[in-house]
Amino acid sequence: MSDTEPRQRADASVWWKRGTVYQVYPRSFQDSDGNGVGDLRGITRRLDYIAWLGVDALWISPIYTSPMADYGYDVADYCGIDPLFGTLEDFDELVAEAHRRRLKVILDFVPNHSSIEHPWFVEARASRHNPRRDWYVWRDPAPGGGPPNNWLSNFGGPAWSFDEASGQYYYHAFLKEQPDLNWRNPELRAAMHDVLRFWLERGVDGFRVDVIWHLIKDEGFRDNPANPAFLPHEPEINRFAQVYSADRPEVLDVIAGMRGVLDAYGERVLIGEIYLPIERLVSYYGPNLEGADLPFNFQLIQTPWRADAVAELVENYEAALPPGGWPNWVLGNHDRPRIAARIGERQARIAAMLLLTLRGTPTLYYGDEIGLGHVAIPPERVRDPWELNEPGHGRDPERTPMQWDAGSQAGFSDVEPWLPLSEDAETRNVDALRDEPGSILTLYRRLLGLRREHDALAVGGYRTVALGLDEVFAYERFDASATLRIVLNFGEETHAVPLPDDSRWTVLLSSEAGRAGDPAAGSVSLGPAEGLILILR
């Protein structure tokens, strides 16, 4: 049994350590104006639900002015709201109403690239001598002609587009409509810091920073090395290891600059989107914790769903954290298939229990709490540019509308939504599940309630428990006042789970209906695909 004691006890009251984050993809949460697309007023309308669920913070994916080449991740005005979503006044109302319900608001920040239609890029491409030319990444053609190096776009194809007027290429890690900004330029940095201040002044409680590990590129623009493990079915970007186009050491200085801006506004959180192995991920806490408060940990999305694999992951992550670094966990988001689509509905309940009882800050993705799984997208309704460029890698199925009731369009809109609903929308919706004792929605709400009731779950220590059962992952959360044991069955067989001799436990919660309050001593029966939380009495 290995122990990891709580770190930074004095800071345990910080809201983003004790709290939980709920991600909303705004196009798909609630339509308020009858155009089939979600908006800010729709989110405000559903704040009572978010508060009822029991989360602490609302993270909103991009709502900036945008041509929508990548559905908001191509920003044309960092200080504007796209009319599709509403107005700045709508945003201010959302923040005020969220705060009235004691909900924090986290805004998506997209600093790696802008839209090709952003005034900065329009100026930059007007002339090689324009003052904003160096705000973007430009290079001359290779000596023999063609792109400057072998860097590829994350959405397929080359990452360089040729500008006929100036005779140079500009770099775009994603779509050609998303030119990368040059964070080596101090004027660009200052302008982006001002963007952060603009939203902080409007009451934003923090930022989730998009593709934060991409912000600095190799100064020499060297070719990326070939990836010997690349398989033909993988996205083209995996043909090369992104050694020089991302995850450069200088990026930590960029993040420290953002951290400094936020620190001037008190208790604000900086979250970084980072798809990297654990040993690289944890470096983004920065020297002396001057980096991201929460470098997003996506390992649960990528790890095989087996008890031994998940247990090993948790151990390795806990061991890799720097002193004082606060852990975090994510099961899904707008870019990856939903958890129920990956592991099935029964195991999705185990996943909920895992997410909300591990040490650290959990992030929930809207719709997971009602068990939304894979939603089929007919070819004629595909919207994701990645799917259009590289079929088979699209993200539309995890961006479908939230399902609120059994009415027309599941209560999301009065008209056909921009993406389809699930085939079981009449029964898989909030109204149908919220009062059902055995529903996955009820399970999520009870888990969130237990985190608030027990400091051991919110900010306590963590230790794994060796049981000798291949299909069961067990661990304890503890503090001076309580010890809780979590046992999760990743298999389809019933197990008699041993408990320590001379100890008595009580079941606090089962992932299935019932059992709360049952005593347990010597051992406890764990059904197929069942999870239990027990408290030591």
Side-chain angles (χ1 to χ4, degrees):
M1 185 180 292
S2 63
D3 288 22
T4 301
E5 292 291 342
R7 295 183 173 105
Q8 290 190 318
R9 286 184 183 272
D11 294 332
S13 62
V14 175
W15 69 263
W16 51 263
K17 289 186 176 182
R18 302 184 67 88
T20 50
V21 178
Y22 184 82
Q23 182 191 357
V24 164
Y25 192 68
R27 296 180 69 91
S28 298
F29 201 60
Q30 179 66 61
D31 174 19
S32 74
D33 57 8
N35 63 357
V37 178
D39 46 51
L40 291 175
R41 289 187 178 183
I43 297 173
T44 302
R45 174 181 159 189
R46 297 297 185 178
L47 287 175
D48 284 341
Y49 165 77
I50 296 172
W52 169 85
L53 185 61
V55 298
D56 301 276
L58 169 67
W59 156 30
I60 306 172
S61 293
I63 49 175
Y64 309 105
T65 308
S66 170
M68 300 294 168
D70 188 23
Y71 291 101
Y73 284 93
D74 49 319
V75 179
D77 180 359
Y78 285 99
C79 296
I81 301 292
D82 195 274
L84 184 70
F85 299 123
T87 65
L88 277 171
E89 290 73 22
D90 293 333
F91 179 79
D92 291 342
E93 181 183 6
L94 190 160
V95 172
E97 289 298 314
H99 287 170
R100 191 166 68 84
R101 292 164 175 81
R102 299 185 179 180
L103 292 169
K104 305 292 186 180
V105 177
I106 299 168
L107 196 59
D108 224 301
F109 182 46
V110 190
N112 179 68
H113 45 263
S114 76
S115 165
I116 203 168
E117 296 183 18
H118 196 293
W120 296 347
F121 188 74
V122 173
E123 291 185 43
R125 76 184 312 179
S127 164
R128 287 197 185 199
H129 307 293
N130 189 280
R132 288 206 168 101
R133 182 74 171 187
D134 191 50
W135 285 31
Y136 292 84
V137 180
W138 298 90
R139 300 292 289 172
D140 289 330
N149 60 26
N150 70 351
W151 296 358
L152 295 175
S153 164
N154 285 263
F155 287 163
W160 296 94
S161 285
F162 188 63
D163 180 59
E164 294 281 353
S166 64
Q168 285 189 313
Y169 284 85
Y170 67 87
Y171 176 68
H172 49 90
F174 295 89
L175 298 175
K176 61 181 176 61
E177 293 87 358
Q178 295 170 288
D180 275 43
L181 291 156
N182 178 18
W183 276 83
R184 294 184 183 274
N185 184 299
E187 293 179 352
L188 181 278
R189 287 197 195 191
M192 295 301 267
H193 288 175
D194 284 344
V195 169
L196 294 173
R197 294 185 185 98
F198 175 86
W199 295 107
L200 289 164
E201 293 289 343
R202 301 192 93 90
V204 165
D205 299 289
F207 298 90
R208 174 268 191 188
V209 184
D210 186 57
V211 296
I212 200 169
W213 83 107
H214 275 267
L215 294 182
I216 291 287
K217 289 75 177 169
D218 177 52
E219 199 165 20
F221 293 91
R222 288 169 283 184
D223 280 352
N224 281 327
N227 174 13
F230 174 70
L231 299 173
H233 68 273
E234 295 183 89
E236 186 182 18
I237 186 67
N238 292 346
R239 281 176 48 202
F240 299 101
Q242 296 184 67
V243 173
Y244 298 116
S245 55
D247 192 28
R248 304 301 301 161
E250 303 96 317
V251 76
L252 296 180
D253 178 61
V254 172
I255 299 170
M258 294 182 191
R259 171 81 274 150
V261 173
L262 268 67
D263 284 348
Y265 288 82
E267 204 173 278
R268 303 295 196 269
V269 66
L270 184 66
I271 304 170
E273 182 195 27
I274 304 164
Y275 282 96
L276 290 173
I278 287 176
E279 63 271 15
R280 292 299 309 139
L281 168 73
V282 296
S283 71
Y284 283 75
Y285 286 98
N288 303 314
L289 301 184
E290 295 172 350
D293 295 307
L294 301 175
F296 255 155
N297 169 16
F298 297 123
Q299 302 300 313
L300 283 177
I301 298 176
Q302 302 165 325
T303 297
W305 195 251
R306 300 192 319 267
D308 60 339
V310 173
E312 182 179 11
L313 161 64
V314 177
E315 283 285 302
N316 291 343
Y317 178 56
E318 285 279 357
L321 288 167
W326 188 249
N328 69 94
W329 297 95
V330 180
L331 279 179
N333 58 32
H334 60 290
D335 286 332
R336 299 299 168 109
R338 287 189 176 274
I339 184 64
R342 300 199 308 269
I343 64 175
E345 184 170 355
R346 295 185 70 199
Q347 284 293 329
R349 301 171 73 94
I350 301 300
M353 190 167 277
L354 176 75
L355 176 71
L356 293 172
T357 59
L358 285 172
R359 191 175 79 96
T361 302
T363 296
L364 288 66
Y365 186 48
Y366 85 98
D368 282 355
E369 76 271 25
I370 61 171
L372 266 179
H374 178 80
V375 180
I377 310 294
E380 68 275 9
R381 297 196 65 180
V382 169
R383 298 290 180 266
D384 183 17
W386 191 6
E387 174 70 11
L388 296 172
N389 285 347
E390 288 191 282
H393 300 294
R395 302 162 294 176
D396 288 336
E398 48 267 29
R399 299 176 175 187
T400 59
M402 182 64 170
Q403 297 171 180
W404 297 102
D405 57 44
S408 175
Q409 312 305 338
F412 168 75
S413 178
D414 295 330
V415 300
E416 184 178 58
W418 76 291
L419 284 174
L421 302 165
S422 72
E423 291 183 355
D424 59 353
E426 287 191 6
T427 56
R428 189 171 301 286
N429 61 70
V430 171
D431 276 5
L433 300 176
R434 68 184 300 159
D435 295 324
E436 173 56 49
S439 75
I440 190 170
L441 177 57
T442 297
L443 175 63
Y444 265 95
R445 189 163 185 256
R446 287 178 177 169
L447 286 165
L448 288 161
L450 285 179
R451 285 183 62 87
R452 293 189 172 189
E453 292 172 25
H454 297 277
D455 278 356
L457 282 178
V459 291
Y462 166 89
R463 57 185 168 226
T464 55
V465 177
L467 296 176
L469 299 172
D470 292 342
E471 294 182 320
V472 178
F473 176 30
Y475 51 94
E476 290 182 349
R477 301 297 313 283
F478 59 93
D479 64 6
S481 62
T483 296
L484 288 80
R485 178 168 291 198
I486 296 91
V487 288
L488 305 174
N489 189 350
F490 285 63
E492 294 299 325
E493 301 291 333
T494 297
H495 294 279
V497 176
L499 296 171
D501 294 339
D502 302 322
S503 64
R504 294 186 178 276
W505 302 75
T506 300
V507 175
L508 277 181
L509 182 65
S510 167
S511 62
E512 304 297 328
R515 300 194 68 176
D518 289 357
S523 69
V524 64
S525 177
L526 186 64
E530 184 181 19
L532 294 175
I533 302 176
L534 304 103
I535 187 167
L536 182 63
R537 296 301 188 187

